[in-house]
Every structure is written in structure tokens, then in C-alpha cells.
Amino acid sequence: MSTKLRLLPLMLLLFSVSAGAVPILDGDLDGTPDTLDNCAGVANADQRDTDGDGSGNMCDPDLNNDGFINFIDLGQLKSVFFTNNADADLNGDGFVNFVDLGIMKSMFFGTPGGPAAGPSVVASVPEPRTLALVGLGLIMMSLLRGRTVALRQRR
């Protein structure tokens, strides 16, 4: 196989990235891009934010909204323990229980928002033109490989 044919997949990849693929970062893998995620460090696909403060419930055990997770919030959680209080139901299972206490404990003395999300996943949403070009390149590669196999069998 010639050097040009070996480089074809790499050239197609580089072309598809430069031809308009738009990188989308989703550090917590919940399906919501970090730029739109109300809890970018913790997976929360439903984006629940019952107190409307901009931080999703999964990373917002700051029940009094003072910007800190501390004993005041723990006292508020205690007062609604084993109820269905939506703001204190951090994981959204319908009950304030030990799971919610565990979430609060993991963030105690911190601030709402969860751990900082790093760009651990970079997905690409290519333009239709890019998909068509990549598809055409793959078809060409399969045709060329078929010819190479046929030529080798003749020898």
C-alpha cells in the first residue's frame, strides 16, 4: 500500500475537524454541555434547580443560599429529613434521606456548584457537509482496499 493511501484516514480526520466540527465539552457526562449545565461537575441529566438559584440540586446543598455549605444548611436538612421537601431532596428521588445527607457531606464547607469540571470528554457535532465528506472518504477507502486485496490475490 502506498504512503499516500496510508495517510488517507489521517487526512480525512484532520479535514473533518477543520471543516466545521464544533467541540462540545461535557465534563460530567450528563448529556448537557458544560456551558449550559447548572451543575457542571456532577452528573444531573434532569438539570433540577428547585430553588431557582442557578445551581442544580445535585450540587447545591446550600439550603439557605448564603453561598456556603455549613452547619446552618445541615440544620435545615435535619428539619426536613424524611419529608419530600424539593429543595433538600438533592438527588431528586422524592425523599429527603441519607443519600441527600451524603451529598451534603461530600460538599461540606464548600460552595454550591460541585467540584470543578474538567474537559474530560470532547465530543464533536460535525456539520452535514463534513459527514458527507467523511462518508465519501470511507467509501473510497473501502474500494481501494478491495482493489489492493484483488491485486495481491492475482500475484
Side-chain angles (χ1 to χ4, degrees):
M1 188 184 270
S2 73
T3 306
K4 288 181 183 177
L5 288 179
R6 287 185 196 148
L7 293 176
L8 186 61
L10 179 60
M11 290 187 306
L12 283 171
L13 176 65
L14 291 174
F15 180 75
S16 70
V17 170
S18 66
V22 179
I24 296 177
L25 300 178
D26 182 11
D28 60 9
L29 304 175
D30 65 1
T32 303
D34 288 346
T35 55
L36 302 174
D37 202 330
N38 65 9
C39 187
V42 179
N44 65 330
D46 63 0
Q47 298 293 297
R48 252 176 22 97
D49 178 17
T50 56
D51 62 0
D53 65 356
S55 290
N57 282 30
M58 280 294 289
C59 61
D60 185 17
D62 178 24
L63 300 179
N64 67 342
N65 289 322
D66 66 354
F68 301 99
I69 301 154
N70 53 31
F71 289 105
I72 297 168
D73 303 299
L74 182 61
Q76 285 187 282
L77 184 74
K78 180 184 173 193
S79 71
V80 294
F81 213 73
F82 295 126
T83 70
N84 63 352
N85 180 285
D87 292 342
D89 178 20
L90 304 176
N91 69 335
D93 65 358
F95 303 98
V96 180
N97 54 29
F98 290 102
V99 176
D100 305 300
L101 179 62
I103 293 170
M104 179 178 277
K105 178 185 174 195
S106 72
M107 299 179 68
F108 213 71
F109 293 127
T111 58
S120 61
V121 173
V122 178
S124 291
V125 179
E127 295 177 353
R129 176 185 70 170
T130 304
L131 287 175
L133 290 171
V134 170
L136 181 62
L138 292 173
I139 291 170
M140 289 174 56
M141 284 175 48
S142 67
L143 291 173
L144 290 172
R145 283 193 179 143
R147 282 191 175 175
T148 305
V149 171
L151 289 173
R152 285 185 186 162
Q153 288 176 353
R154 287 184 188 170
R155 288 184 183 177

